[in-house]
Amino acid sequence: MKRLLAALLAAASVAHAAPNPQEILAASDAVRNPDFPFGLTNTLVEYRQGKQTDTSVLAIYSKSDPNGGQFRSLVRYTAPARDANKLILYNGRDLWFFDPASKASIRLSPQQRLLGQASNGDVVTTNFARDYRATEAAEEETLDGERVKRSCYRLNLAPSTPDASYHQIEMWVEKGSARPVKARFYAESGKLLKSAYYRRYQKVFGTERPTETVIIDGLEPDWVTVLRFSDWVKRDVPEAWLQRDYLPRFKPE
């Protein structure tokens, strides 16, 4: 909570001074993410031309790395039944998939699709300010995911580490509240990969946070993936859960 308050104060200060793009980005991260270990349920639903085509339900356990600040997460499939208890481990640099049937762990790319337009990197908790440098904060009005006009800062993000998942990101952050409104993700070629809308804000752990992300394909706008976040709980995330060699021994609670 202290980190969130500090970030929001930093964001509010830009109303009286030249906006600092990196501070705005960090404040938006604090709105999306608690600053303590937590768990939640992520329900992914894929739509094609308005019709539901697939769904997955994931249990996610996350906490930040005390050294680098990026989040580390263990993701467990709970549905569909064919995928139950498969695991994804993201430890800040590496991403591993573990199948209990084969007892094998396979290294994955954060950009690899998990369901629809949702990539492996989209389902884990992320601090954008740790992997990207915000180089511009232009004042701009934009429509949010509910088609409501918002007064925002448009941030241009460039990778600051080799582990960043995208070559370029544009992000719109609401002035005053530091709420992330939407983002666009680009390939190195400049092609728009997808757009994301952060919406359905609800009070979670004392702060209004987005409980739904809508991801739209960059080439096929009728290909939509919705991520719904629920069952948030403050909890311990044992360090052992975040080690690759522990995956075969992990038992869901």
Side-chain angles (χ1 to χ4, degrees), residues 21-43:
Q22 198 67 20
E23 288 181 359
I24 296 171
L25 181 61
S28 72
D29 281 340
V31 170
R32 290 187 304 106
N33 304 323
D35 57 358
F36 47 78
F38 65 96
L40 59 79
T41 298
N42 185 349
T43 302

Side-chain angles (χ1 to χ4, degrees), residues 48 113 116-117 192-196 214-225:
R48 291 268 196 167
R113 288 176 180 170
Q117 276 304 301
L192 176 63
L193 297 173
K194 58 191 173 186
S195 300
V214 179
I215 302 176
I216 303 171
D217 184 75
L219 293 178
E220 300 180 52
D222 61 356
W223 187 8
V224 177
T225 308

Side-chain angles (χ1 to χ4, degrees), residues 21 35 70 81 109 124 136-137 169 172 185 193:
D35 57 358
Q70 189 55 273
S109 164
V124 297
E136 182 183 352
I169 301 174
W172 284 259
F185 302 85
L193 297 173

Side-chain angles (χ1 to χ4, degrees), residues 42-244:
N42 185 349
T43 302
L44 297 85
V45 184
E46 179 186 18
Y47 296 91
R48 291 268 196 167
Q49 299 179 342
K51 296 181 179 180
Q52 182 175 331
T53 54
D54 205 354
T55 186
S56 288
V57 182
L58 311 173
I60 300 179
Y61 315 94
S62 293
K63 72 175 180 180
S64 61
D65 185 341
N67 297 317
Q70 189 55 273
F71 275 86
R72 297 175 295 161
S73 300
L74 179 66
V75 179
R76 178 174 63 88
Y77 284 82
T78 62
R82 67 176 184 271
D83 293 327
N85 295 319
K86 293 177 180 177
L87 301 172
I88 296 174
L89 172 64
Y90 181 70
N91 65 9
R93 289 186 178 274
D94 298 318
L95 196 68
W96 298 94
F97 172 79
F98 176 78
D99 187 342
S102 65
K103 306 295 184 183
S105 57
I106 303 171
R107 193 167 185 172
L108 300 177
S109 164
Q111 298 97 324
Q112 189 172 333
R113 288 176 180 170
L114 185 145
L115 179 77
Q117 276 304 301
S119 68
N120 293 314
D122 291 328
V123 302
V124 297
T125 308
T126 302
N127 275 335
F128 286 109
R130 301 291 178 177
D131 288 346
Y132 294 90
R133 181 180 68 259
T135 58
E136 182 183 352
E139 297 188 27
E140 185 174 297
E141 287 191 339
T142 191
L143 295 179
D144 67 10
E146 310 287 350
R147 309 297 295 176
V148 175
K149 188 176 291 186
R150 301 289 180 183
S151 180
C152 296
Y153 289 111
R154 177 174 55 80
L155 307 179
N156 284 332
L157 310 185
S160 58
T161 73
D163 304 310
S165 298
Y166 300 98
H167 182 74
Q168 179 191 357
I169 301 174
E170 289 180 304
M171 181 172 290
W172 284 259
V173 178
E174 186 175 38
K175 295 170 64 177
S177 71
R179 288 183 175 186
V181 174
K182 71 177 184 180
R184 292 176 180 162
F185 302 85
Y186 295 88
E188 188 171 359
S189 65
K191 182 183 76 172
L192 176 63
L193 297 173
K194 58 191 173 186
S195 300
Y197 289 87
Y198 305 94
R199 62 182 209 170
R200 299 197 185 280
Y201 277 79
Q202 297 179 18
K203 186 160 286 189
V204 178
F205 304 131
T207 300
E208 293 286 326
R209 306 184 193 275
T211 63
E212 184 175 279
T213 302
V214 179
I215 302 176
I216 303 171
D217 184 75
L219 293 178
E220 300 180 52
D222 61 356
W223 187 8
V224 177
T225 308
V226 180
L227 286 68
R228 298 188 176 101
F229 309 103
S230 61
D231 306 324
W232 302 70
V233 60
K234 184 177 182 179
R235 57 154 304 140
D236 179 46
V237 179
E239 193 64 27
W241 289 12
L242 303 173
Q243 307 302 317
R244 180 191 175 196

